[in-house]
Structures are given as C-alpha cells and as structure tokens.
Amino acid sequence: MSTVRQLRRPAIGVVVNPVAGIGGPAGLVGSDGDAVQREAIARGAHARAADRAAVALAVLADAHPGLEVLTAGGALGEDTVRAAGLLARVVYTPDASRATTGDDTMRAVAACAADGAGLVLFAGGDGTARDAASGAPPEVALLGIPAGVKMYSGCFAVSPAAAGAIAADWQSSGGLSTREAEVLDLDEALLRAGRPDPRLFALVRVPASRERTQARKAPTPTSEADAVRLAAAGAVAAMQPGVRYLLGPGGTLAAVSRELGIQGTPLGVDIVQDGALIARDVSEKQALSAIAGHPAKAVVTVIGGQGFLLGRGNQQLSPAVVDAIGPDPLLVVATEQKLLDLSGRPLLVDTGDPRIDERLAGHLRVITGPSSSSIYPVSAASAATTEGAHTCV
C-alpha cells in the first residue's frame, strides 16, 4: 500500500544503534550478537552508525540551528545530537551497566513518541528498523539513516544527508505527508549460510519523499535465471589477465562465480585473478592487502528495486578499497530487466565518503550479456538533499 497521509506533529526524535554496521567491513554479513561484534572488532572494524547519524544531523542543524530534538542518553543518540550542535532533550536513559540492545532502541523510540515526536530518525539497518517499528505507535513516522549492513526495508533514506534533508523539511513544514513502507528482516545465521529470506515484519509510516527514500529490495524472479547467466558470462568475458577482481555479494555475482568454475561466497567478497580464486570471504583490511600493488576492479551488481551499487550489503568494498583500486574501480553487471525496473531512476552509490560517491557519479557501462551492455546514469546518494536530485536527464 502507498496511501498518503498528513501528519502534523512537528517534534523530531533521534535514536542511534551504537553497534550498527560493525559487521559489514569485517565481512560478517550483519552485526547482531555479542560474538559477531567482538569478531568484527578483532578484524579491525568499527561501528559507523554515529558517523552516519552525524552527517544527517549536520544537514538538519544547518537548516535549523539550535533545534531541540528528543533522544536517548549517551551513545544511543544524545552524544551525536550534541556533537551536531543541536539541543538534546533526553527522554530515555539506557542502563549504563550493560551494553545497549534492541530493546533499548524499542524503548527509546517509544519514549520519543510519548514525548511528542511525530518523526523519529533511527540510525542502523534492518534489525534496528524492526526494533524501532516495535516501539513506534501507528501515528508516528519513522525514517532510517542507513548505517547497517542489511537494508532491504523501504523505510530508509537513500543516504544520511537525504535523511537530514527530510527531517529539515519536516521541521520547516510542521510535518509532511507520509506513505506506508515495509520493514523487512531476516535471520543472520541463515544469511551467512547463503540462504537470504527477508520477511515482512511490520508496516510503518515514512515521510513521502520518493527521490530521497529507497524502495524495498526486489528479489530476482526465477524467470530471469537465463538472463542472469548471460549477464554473468558477459562479466567473465570482460575480465582482463593479471587483474584482481573483487566479487561482491548477490545472486548475479554468484552466477559469475559459477561461470568461473569457482566456489564463491554467496554473501561475502571473494578475489579472483586469471579465473582462479585467490582469497575467499575477505574483510575490508584483507581486500586492501590483497590489491596492494596489483591492478584491480570491484565487480558489483544492482540491488533490484533500489538501484544501489555500493553501500548496501557490500561494505567490505569501502571507500578506502574503492580509492585504492583507482580512477575506474567498478565492473558492473546486471540484467537488462533490473535496469528497466528502475523506471529511469539512476543507480546509487552510498559508500559513506561523499568524495568517493561524487567521483563515481556520472555514467558507467553495465554489462548485461556476453555482447551487450547499457550506459546508465549513476548518482551519489549523498547528493539527494533536494527533491529533484535523482531526476535523470
């Protein structure tokens, strides 16, 4: 459903999941659970939710200096709000004797709503969205600042800056029209086993801003299997001798692995050279080490329905990795139908580094078959701070 409703409660809440996204650069698929978080830290990763939230709040603070927002204590929101120069009214304080959990996110969102928030920004991924939805009453709008690993849900802005721009408009207008969006989540253990099964958890209200909010991830239909195989064959045909290729996650890249005759990691990043697997399921640090001193390219596909190339589920391909690869870092492969399903909307990059995102913006070649390709526009998701930012010309 996409019915539009008008909400007129102007107060804004902010909740940050402090550990969101920590598993992505470490190649751990998600960030749920103490053991996963400890392993991510051991692999040199760090949580990025506060940094991503800071970008959003900087946009809001620029439009509304000194604005008071509702939030939770400490790392759950207060610290980031104050650092942005906004006034933090703490309405929920987590237990300082333990690490925060999803229950804290739920309670913090509920407290913001109870204290008058009509819009609650939350920084995290699909798991955080699920917790936020559990705490939000039906009349309160939610908007995700994308900061997790998995972001299949339709309740996220396309970038932190876009989330901040929507919040600024909300404050200026005393509320915005809203639409219904799906919150999806999945079992991370099954995901690590290569069996992604996103399921509908809730329907929530989000500000109606088509160019600044993302669609839910669309699965690849079985009828496209032949098209995927042909696109994968085209990607393999485009590979050059001596180049190290970083194969990202996704069904289309799994088809590339099959074409190469290797056992790839369905949801990780593998490195191949001259048709041989040289590293499997690498982290960001391992990828940087493997490509040092070697020509390289990142092989990525298009997330169906959303159009993202980077920043959704492939955070191992970080800004540092993209920068190390060089000026032409991507080999993009997708079926023609995936491009058609975008209805003219551009492909998106959201690495977390606006400099890298802007460098990748423009047009690139998308391989769609052994002898076919399309030249398609690419936009930096961080640039989506105006309603027309993603209009194709």
Side-chain angles (χ1 to χ4, degrees):
M1 294 288 290
S2 59
T3 55
V4 173
R5 229 165 41 185
Q6 189 79 12
L7 296 181
R8 289 291 181 183
R9 301 173 70 198
I12 293 172
V14 174
V15 178
V16 176
N17 176 357
V19 299
I22 195 170
L28 296 175
V29 178
S31 305
D32 293 350
D34 291 342
V36 171
Q37 293 158 20
R38 287 195 299 270
E39 177 63 20
I41 292 170
R43 295 187 184 187
H46 68 278
R48 61 181 192 152
D51 294 339
R52 302 278 278 179
V55 173
L57 296 184
V59 175
L60 176 60
D62 186 60
H64 299 282
L67 177 70
E68 181 183 69
V69 300
L70 311 177
T71 191
L76 210 58
E78 179 188 9
D79 296 345
T80 310
V81 169
R82 293 192 190 282
L86 298 169
L87 299 179
R89 177 148 59 100
V90 176
V91 295
Y92 173 77
T93 302
D95 184 348
S97 67
R98 57 166 177 79
T100 57
T101 67
D103 189 61
D104 288 304
T105 297
M106 179 185 70
R107 293 177 182 275
V109 170
C112 288
D115 226 56
L119 170 66
V120 179
L121 303 178
F122 66 89
D126 282 334
T128 311
R130 178 172 174 165
D131 296 329
S134 296
E139 70 275 10
V140 171
L142 292 175
L143 181 64
I145 301 168
V149 179
K150 315 179 306 295
M151 284 166 282
Y152 289 170
S153 304
C155 57
F156 289 94
V158 298
S159 70
I166 292 172
D169 286 351
W170 179 280
Q171 182 65 29
S172 297
S173 304
L176 295 171
S177 296
T178 64
R179 62 174 177 84
E180 200 170 64
E182 295 171 316
V183 175
L184 306 175
D185 200 14
L186 43 71
D187 186 315
E188 287 190 1
L190 291 177
L191 185 61
R192 291 187 184 97
R195 302 199 313 254
D197 184 20
R199 298 182 180 181
L200 177 65
F201 177 78
L203 295 172
V204 297
R205 309 303 305 182
V206 300
S209 181
R210 179 178 178 271
E211 303 299 333
R212 295 179 184 156
T213 55
Q214 69 181 39
R216 63 162 287 182
K217 181 186 183 296
T220 301
T222 305
S223 59
E224 277 198 61
D226 285 342
V228 170
R229 181 180 57 80
L230 290 171
V236 171
M239 291 181 175
Q240 300 295 314
V243 177
R244 295 194 166 180
Y245 291 93
L246 286 68
L247 304 184
T252 303
L253 276 300
V256 172
S257 294
R258 288 193 294 271
E259 287 290 320
L260 288 167
I262 63 173
Q263 184 65 44
T265 311
L267 297 162
V269 171
D270 304 317
I271 303 178
V272 299
Q273 180 178 335
D274 299 326
L277 181 66
I278 64 170
R280 193 173 189 270
D281 199 13
V282 300
S283 67
E284 174 196 19
K285 289 182 67 176
Q286 291 168 329
L288 284 168
S289 177
I291 65 176
H294 297 274
K297 273 188 180 293
V299 187
V300 297
T301 190
V302 177
I303 294 185
Q306 296 181 351
F308 281 97
L309 298 175
L310 294 171
R312 299 293 185 271
N314 57 6
Q315 285 90 350
Q316 303 95 313
L317 303 176
S318 67
V321 171
V322 173
D323 208 24
I325 291 173
D328 184 23
L330 302 183
L331 189 157
V332 183
V333 54
T335 63
E336 191 69 37
Q337 189 60 49
K338 273 193 176 180
L339 300 181
L340 292 173
D341 288 344
L342 293 174
S343 302
R345 287 179 287 123
L347 303 176
L348 298 171
V349 288
D350 182 25
T351 66
D353 185 333
R355 178 181 61 88
I356 297 294
D357 292 349
E358 289 294 340
R359 197 184 91 195
L360 296 174
H363 289 78
L364 54 68
R365 184 166 73 103
V366 179
I367 295 172
T368 57
S371 58
S372 62
S373 63
S374 294
I375 302 299
Y376 205 89
V378 180
S379 177
S382 56
T385 54
T386 59
E387 198 63 37
H390 289 163
T391 301
C392 294
V393 294

